[in-house]
Amino acid sequence: MSVFFKSISSGNPVKKGDAEDQLKKIGVSLDSKDSDDYDLLLAAVHDVAQHISDLPDYQPVPDTKRYPRENIRRPTQQEQDLGNAWAHKFLIQGNQDGGAMAKKTVTLKDCIAVAGVPQFFGSDAFPAWTPSTDATVVTRVLDAGADIVGTSVCENFCNSTASFTSAQGTVENPHRTGYSAGGSTSGGAALVGSGKVDVAIGTDQGGSIRVPSSLCGCVGFKPTHGLVPWTGFTSGDAVDDHAGTITRTVADNAACLDAIAGYDDIDDRALGAGEPGSHGLVEFLTSYSPGANKTRPLAGFKIGVLKEGFYNDFVQPEVKEAVLNAVRKFEQLGASVQEVSVPAHLEGPAVWTVQQRISGALTILGQAHGRRGLGLTEFEHARLPWTSENFQKLFPSTQNTVINGLYLTDKFPGLYSKTMNIGRQIRDAFDRALRECDVLVMPTTPFVAPRHGRRGTPRQCFEPTIGLTVNTAVFNVTGHPALSLPVGFAPAREDHTVALPVGMQIVSGRWQEKRIFQVAHAWETAFDWRSCRCMVEEAQHDDLNEKVQYAVEVSPVVA
C-alpha cells in the first residue's frame, strides 16, 4: 500500500481536507486522526479515475459503408410537417435484398442514437450532440429492409405527454391543428398518423408511445420490459423505459417488433428476450388470420374489462363509451367479455411517480448506475456538468423531476426500494387477473387530445396533460406489454364539434405479445375505427354512467 501511495502523481488535485468535505455533503464526519489517510486514499482513487478517463471508449462500430447516411440536415420550415415534427431529415437505405420491412419508411425518436446525426433530445439546454454509434434497433430495421428517413421531435428530455414542450417547436395533431399530438414520442406519432411515414420507433417510460398513439389515431405498442434492447437510447431511466413501435396497422407493428426484438449481447434487460428473429409475430398473424372460423376469430378468448381503468375522475364520458362500444364488438368476434377488478391498478401512478422522479433525477444528473449496457459517454459530456444557466433552459417538467428526485432521496431514504417492492406486488396482482382472462382492456388515455398548453408558469405548463397517464404508467412499473389500438372518435373537451381519435389499451401477460396482436388484429380487420364516432350529449352522461356502473357491479369480478 505504501508503495502505491508513493506513486501518486504530483499534479493530483486532491488536497488536505477533501475527504472530509465530501462527507459533509451527506451530513457525516470523520475521526480527525484518520483524515489524512482518507485524503491519501482519495488522491489514489482520483489517479485511477483519471486513468480510466484517458482510455479510449468502446462502442459498437456502425457499418456506414453498407448503410451510408445521406443528406443529413435540419429541415427548413418548408420541409417540416405538422408544425415541427422532424428533428433531422436524412436517408439511410435498408437492405436492398428485401426483408420483412422492405419498402417501409421509418423515423426514429430524437433520443435514439444514429451515428453522424445530431441529437437534440428535445432540448436547447446544451448543444446538439452527435453519436458515433447506432442504437441496436437502427441496425435491425435496416437489416429488415426498411429505409430510415429521419429523426422525429421528442418532448423536452422525453419528460412530457404534451407536444408543445420541445425546444425544436410544437408538434400538431394530424387530425386537428391546435391540439396536442401527445408525447413524448410526439413527432413520430404525428408523422405516422398523418401518413408521412410508415413506422416510428420510440420510447415509453410512462406512456410516451401509447399516449401519442392514442391521441393521433395510431397503433402504439410498449412490449414487455426488455423485449427490445434499450441499447443506444438516452430517453429515461432503464427501470421504467421501454423501446417500442408506432404504426398505422397492427400487421406493420408486428413486422417492426419482429425486426427489433431479441437480446443484443449488450443490454442486460433483454437477457430473457430470446434470439433476434426468433419471435415469429408476423408468421403467427398470417397463420391464424382470418382463421378457420372467419366470423368468430376470437372464439374462446376471454376479454377482461378493467373496472379501475374506466372509473376515475379523469375519464371523459365519450371516451368511456367509445371504448365500451369497441369492447362489445369483441363479442361479435366470438370472445366473451367480463368485468375485472384489480384495485392495485390505482396505486400505479403514485408508485411510478416516486420511482420515476428518483431514478429520473439521477439519470438527468448523470448518476444513474446498476445496469449493464451501452454508455453513451458523448451524451454525458455534452450535457454535464449542470449549471444554473443550462438548468434554467429545461422545461418545467424536467426541472420538476430533478427537484422532486433530490427531495425524495433526501427526505424518504429507502422509498425508491419500496416502490420496487410495491411495483412487484402490482405486477403480481395483474398476473393473477390475467390467469382468468387472455387480455385486459381499458381506455389508453382518459380523454382525447387537449388543446396545446402554453409556456407560462410551471403549473400552466402541466395543466393540459394532468391525468393522461392514469392507465399507462402502471404498466411501465409492472413491465406488462400494452398496445393502444384506435377504436373511434370522441369530441374534444373544449369544442364538441371537433372529433379526435380514441385509443383502447390492450394488456396481456409478460412475453405474451402474440396474444395482444391476435386480439388487436382481429378487431382491426373486422371494424373500421374511422367510422366509429361517439358524440354523447352532456345530458346523457349521468344516465349512461348509471347503466355502465350497474353492469360493473353485477358482472363477475376477478380479485
Side-chain angles (χ1 to χ4, degrees), residues 512-547:
Q512 297 299 319
E513 276 72 14
K514 287 180 179 178
R515 190 174 293 173
I516 292 178
F517 278 129
Q518 183 173 356
V519 170
H521 188 254
W523 196 101
E524 178 187 75
T525 302
F527 308 108
D528 178 11
W529 72 271
R530 295 170 185 81
S531 65
C532 300
R533 294 177 182 261
C534 185
M535 309 295 279
V536 179
E537 294 297 330
E538 193 70 35
Q540 296 177 304
H541 291 173
D542 291 341
D543 184 54
L544 173 64
N545 285 340
E546 183 179 344
K547 290 178 180 177

Side-chain angles (χ1 to χ4, degrees), residues 164-377:
F164 70 96
T165 78
S166 173
Q168 285 68 60
T170 296
V171 179
E172 299 290 348
N173 190 296
H175 295 271
R176 188 76 171 204
T177 298
Y179 285 81
S180 176
S184 59
T185 314
S186 49
L191 290 167
V192 171
S194 67
K196 300 291 183 181
V197 296
D198 298 313
V199 178
I201 299 177
T203 60
D204 189 312
Q205 62 180 319
S208 288
I209 286 172
R210 291 159 291 157
V211 167
S213 294
S214 178
L215 302 191
C216 292
C218 303
V219 178
F221 198 26
K222 178 201 80 66
T224 300
H225 188 254
L227 180 66
V228 178
W230 201 62
T231 304
F233 288 74
T234 57
S235 57
D237 187 85
V239 71
D240 290 323
D241 215 351
H242 301 63
T245 46
I246 301 174
T247 57
R248 284 188 297 281
T249 69
V250 174
D252 278 355
N253 209 289
C256 186
L257 193 57
D258 254 344
I260 64 179
Y263 183 47
D264 66 349
D265 203 31
I266 298 176
D267 179 14
D268 70 346
R269 304 178 327 147
L271 280 166
E275 291 294 319
S278 68
H279 298 84
L281 299 170
V282 172
E283 181 181 359
F284 169 75
L285 282 185
T286 303
S287 66
Y288 98 85
S289 179
N293 191 338
K294 296 183 180 181
T295 60
R296 294 171 60 82
L298 295 181
F301 265 76
K302 296 179 180 179
I303 309 294
V305 180
L306 184 67
K307 175 181 175 180
E308 290 78 11
F310 285 84
Y311 293 97
N312 63 66
D313 293 339
F314 295 107
V315 177
Q316 182 183 348
E318 298 92 341
V319 168
K320 180 193 298 181
E321 182 60 14
V323 177
L324 287 173
N325 284 341
V327 172
R328 294 178 191 117
K329 289 179 168 61
F330 282 125
E331 294 178 325
Q332 299 177 39
L333 303 176
S336 62
V337 175
Q338 64 183 44
E339 297 286 346
V340 173
S341 178
V342 183
H345 177 80
L346 301 176
E347 297 292 353
V351 172
W352 177 86
T353 295
V354 172
Q355 218 173 67
Q356 197 278 330
R357 294 292 189 273
I358 294 174
S359 61
L362 292 174
T363 300
I364 292 166
L365 295 172
Q367 298 171 5
H369 61 88
R371 309 294 324 199
R372 292 180 183 272
L374 174 64
L376 294 172
T377 50

Side-chain angles (χ1 to χ4, degrees), residues 19-289:
E20 187 78 26
D21 288 344
Q22 295 302 313
L23 292 176
K24 285 178 182 177
K25 296 175 182 178
I26 60 171
V28 301
S29 61
L30 282 171
D31 187 324
S32 59
K33 67 180 176 59
D34 297 330
S35 182
D36 288 347
D37 280 357
Y38 282 111
D39 287 337
L40 197 60
L41 290 164
L42 187 60
V45 84
H46 173 89
D47 281 352
V48 173
Q50 187 61 58
H51 169 70
I52 297 297
S53 181
D54 292 340
L55 291 176
D57 204 355
Y58 183 63
Q59 295 193 9
V61 179
D63 190 348
T64 54
K65 288 187 177 180
R66 184 182 184 192
Y67 297 128
R69 287 96 228 267
E70 303 175 24
N71 196 18
I72 301 169
R73 64 199 185 279
R74 175 77 175 123
T76 64
Q77 204 55 50
Q78 289 70 35
E79 290 182 289
Q80 276 289 6
D81 292 302
L82 299 144
N84 299 276
W86 294 100
H88 281 87
K89 284 192 169 184
F90 53 87
L91 174 64
I92 309 177
Q93 288 188 309
N95 180 7
Q96 297 301 293
D97 294 329
M101 295 183 68
K103 308 300 182 183
K104 297 295 182 183
T105 55
V106 173
T107 181
L108 304 164
K109 188 176 183 179
D110 193 31
C111 63
I112 300 174
V114 187
V117 177
Q119 184 182 116
F120 293 116
F121 199 41
S123 179
D124 61 359
F126 55 92
W129 73 286
T130 303
S132 60
T133 191
D134 287 341
T136 298
V137 297
V138 171
T139 304
R140 288 183 176 176
V141 294
L142 292 171
D143 287 345
D147 293 338
I148 300 176
V149 295
T151 51
S152 47
V153 158
C154 68
E155 295 310 297
N156 204 293
F157 264 65
C158 295
N159 229 302
S160 176
T161 48
S163 67
F164 70 96
T165 78
S166 173
Q168 285 68 60
T170 296
V171 179
E172 299 290 348
N173 190 296
H175 295 271
R176 188 76 171 204
T177 298
Y179 285 81
S180 176
S184 59
T185 314
S186 49
L191 290 167
V192 171
S194 67
K196 300 291 183 181
V197 296
D198 298 313
V199 178
I201 299 177
T203 60
D204 189 312
Q205 62 180 319
S208 288
I209 286 172
R210 291 159 291 157
V211 167
S213 294
S214 178
L215 302 191
C216 292
C218 303
V219 178
F221 198 26
K222 178 201 80 66
T224 300
H225 188 254
L227 180 66
V228 178
W230 201 62
T231 304
F233 288 74
T234 57
S235 57
D237 187 85
V239 71
D240 290 323
D241 215 351
H242 301 63
T245 46
I246 301 174
T247 57
R248 284 188 297 281
T249 69
V250 174
D252 278 355
N253 209 289
C256 186
L257 193 57
D258 254 344
I260 64 179
Y263 183 47
D264 66 349
D265 203 31
I266 298 176
D267 179 14
D268 70 346
R269 304 178 327 147
L271 280 166
E275 291 294 319
S278 68
H279 298 84
L281 299 170
V282 172
E283 181 181 359
F284 169 75
L285 282 185
T286 303
S287 66
Y288 98 85
S289 179

Side-chain angles (χ1 to χ4, degrees), residues 469-482:
T469 62
V470 292
N471 283 341
T472 55
V474 62
F475 299 111
N476 294 83
V477 172
T478 67
H480 288 88

Side-chain angles (χ1 to χ4, degrees), residues 432-553:
R432 286 193 295 272
L434 286 163
R435 285 198 285 269
E436 304 294 330
C437 300
D438 293 290
V439 298
L440 300 174
V441 296
M442 68 211 76
T444 306
T445 58
F447 47 89
V448 295
R451 287 192 189 277
H452 292 304
R454 56 195 176 98
R455 288 173 172 264
T457 66
R459 287 179 62 183
Q460 290 170 335
C461 292
F462 281 103
E463 282 173 357
T465 58
I466 292 173
L468 263 179
T469 62
V470 292
N471 283 341
T472 55
V474 62
F475 299 111
N476 294 83
V477 172
T478 67
H480 288 88
L483 178 145
S484 182
L485 181 73
V487 293
F489 287 86
R493 294 184 300 175
E494 304 87 349
D495 183 351
H496 273 215
T497 67
V498 176
L500 294 164
V502 173
M504 174 173 64
Q505 185 170 222
I506 306 172
V507 179
S508 194
R510 287 167 291 154
W511 313 106
Q512 297 299 319
E513 276 72 14
K514 287 180 179 178
R515 190 174 293 173
I516 292 178
F517 278 129
Q518 183 173 356
V519 170
H521 188 254
W523 196 101
E524 178 187 75
T525 302
F527 308 108
D528 178 11
W529 72 271
R530 295 170 185 81
S531 65
C532 300
R533 294 177 182 261
C534 185
M535 309 295 279
V536 179
E537 294 297 330
E538 193 70 35
Q540 296 177 304
H541 291 173
D542 291 341
D543 184 54
L544 173 64
N545 285 340
E546 183 179 344
K547 290 178 180 177
V548 176
Q549 182 63 45
Y550 176 75
V552 171
E553 292 170 351

